[in-house]
Amino acid sequence: FKAKVATEALRGEWTTSELAARHGVYPNLVAQWKKHAAEGMTAIFSKDAGRHEADQEARIKELHAKIGQLTVGRDF
């Protein structure tokens, strides 16, 4: 829901007040969600985005290994 409202706010087809009334939220929330969405897009297209994804995948592999160890230990 938040992403939908933020996307509509970024498009600029309606004012913040119109979007807030349309979705039944406060205008401040719409402005905050729009700001967070814009900041998130900046992070996606930055140079560090690829490194962040690689770090996440390494962490996921590490956690899967730990889950496997705990499962074997519990079953033993």
Side-chain angles (χ1 to χ4, degrees):
F1 174 74
K2 291 178 184 180
K4 178 183 173 187
V5 176
T7 303
E8 289 179 9
L10 287 170
R11 284 189 197 132
E13 295 175 2
W14 296 284
T15 66
T16 302
S17 297
E18 290 172 338
L19 283 172
R22 194 167 173 226
H23 293 287
V25 296
Y26 291 107
N28 292 350
L29 285 177
V30 175
Q32 286 177 358
W33 296 342
K34 180 181 176 181
K35 179 182 174 188
H36 288 284
E39 289 171 356
M41 281 191 227
T42 303
I44 290 170
F45 294 109
S46 71
K47 293 179 183 179
D48 295 334
R51 185 174 7 156
H52 179 69
E53 287 179 21
D55 290 344
Q56 268 189 324
E57 287 185 27
R59 179 74 176 141
I60 289 171
K61 285 182 183 180
E62 179 184 320
L63 291 172
H64 280 253
K66 186 66 174 177
I67 290 168
Q69 289 174 347
L70 293 171
T71 302
V72 169
R74 183 197 62 187
D75 291 344
F76 185 66

